Amino acid sequence: MTELLTVENLHVVFQTYAGTVYAVNGMTFDVQPGEIFGLVGESGCGKSVACLAILRILPGHGRITAGRILFDGRDLIQARESEMQAIRGRQIAMIFQDPSTSLNPVFTVGSQIKRIIRHHTRASRKVTEQRALELLEEVALPDPLRIMQAYPHELSGGMQQRVMIAMALASGARLLIADEPTTALDVTIQDQILELLVELRRHVGLSILLITHNLGVVAETCDRVGVAYAGQIVEIGPTSEVLRRMKHPYTQGLLAALPSAQQKGKDLLSISGNVPNGLSVIPGCPFHPRCPRVMEVCWQTPPRLAAANPGEMQHQVACHLYSPEVAQ
Ligand code: SF4
């Protein structure tokens, strides 16, 4: 299968008063057509920055310094700004954690959706109205006629997120980047939004790049997952494989930190130490200051992504524990 999106050896830096922040340091992953790919990691691991880089909407002091971002074969880093304007929204849409910041508070939901449909299709008023209602039905909003006339503040957070997803569909986007789309919602609504994303992948064939800090969300939703740490992918593969036979000590730490019924009454586990601040590039393995299994080689030599199990290239891990030359 040909990848819809390929991010290859991406590097992004930010110039700040404290110095250069190395936010993304050689990140590589891809999203296949019709797939939900999860990018998981703690805050500050570079996952959201990588997504802003894909759309070339980094804040003013951020810069892509190396790498390739191929969307449908086109290199987005080399694309002219006018080409990017045609790609943003129309081919790649993005939704964020807090939908209320993306909706315009002074226009009704209906007028915001219809404006997008008209912009992309130039359809007649009647067809636009009909399509807007269909979209609200597609995202399972009850009473679409009423929702069309509502202002964003009249809707709950979950309903607002559904409207944002309807707007992404209105543009005809083939790839939806969903950056922590359920983090601000309460648990039952979170599940409904995740179910909706899975449903849209099935029925509309939408490809989804799902950014999350929550391995539980990945387990429920994603076909494949990339685990990000210090701006790099440290483990990647089919979700069931990565979660059942995880190799990287960081992935193991993330899973151990998930609350479970068995741990009731006990302290929650966490990974010791902090996520690096990015003000310098850590030599060797970026996880070595926090790794419970660190070896001497880890201090100096960066591990590369390689097959996690002999002959199985789908599941890859970047850790010296699995390099035949250095494993003990
Ligand atoms: Fe730990 Fe070394 Fe593996 Fe890094 S390479 S995760 S420090 S064992």
Side-chain angles (χ1 to χ4, degrees), residues 248-250 285 287-288 291 293-295 298 303 318-321:
H248 200 281
Y250 178 61
C285 170
F287 190 55
H288 84 252
C291 181
R293 302 185 66 186
V294 61
M295 304 174 286
C298 310
C319 174
H320 290 308
L321 287 168

Side-chain angles (χ1 to χ4, degrees), residues 22 32 47 58 62 104 110-111 137 158 168 185 212 253 285 291 299 317:
Y22 298 88
Q32 308 279 335
K47 53 194 193 308
L58 288 165
N104 192 326
S111 68
E137 272 168 26
L185 307 175
T212 178
C285 170
C291 181
W299 301 342
V317 63

Side-chain angles (χ1 to χ4, degrees), residues 213-245:
H213 64 279
N214 186 335
L215 271 181
V217 167
V218 168
E220 261 180 69
T221 319
C222 300
D223 303 300
R224 287 190 309 130
V225 58
V227 181
Y229 186 78
Q232 303 171 26
I233 297 290
V234 296
E235 186 158 8
I236 188 167
T239 303
S240 55
E241 173 69 16
V242 170
L243 296 188
R244 246 186 306 122
R245 298 204 288 162

Side-chain angles (χ1 to χ4, degrees), residues 242-258:
V242 170
L243 296 188
R244 246 186 306 122
R245 298 204 288 162
M246 71 207 62
K247 299 286 184 182
H248 200 281
Y250 178 61
T251 317
Q252 291 165 351
L254 279 183
L255 199 81
L258 275 182

Side-chain angles (χ1 to χ4, degrees), residues 31-52:
V31 182
Q32 308 279 335
E35 156 177 88
I36 305 184
F37 181 85
L39 199 51
V40 68
E42 293 165 283
S43 303
C45 70
K47 53 194 193 308
S48 295
V49 172
C51 292
L52 297 178

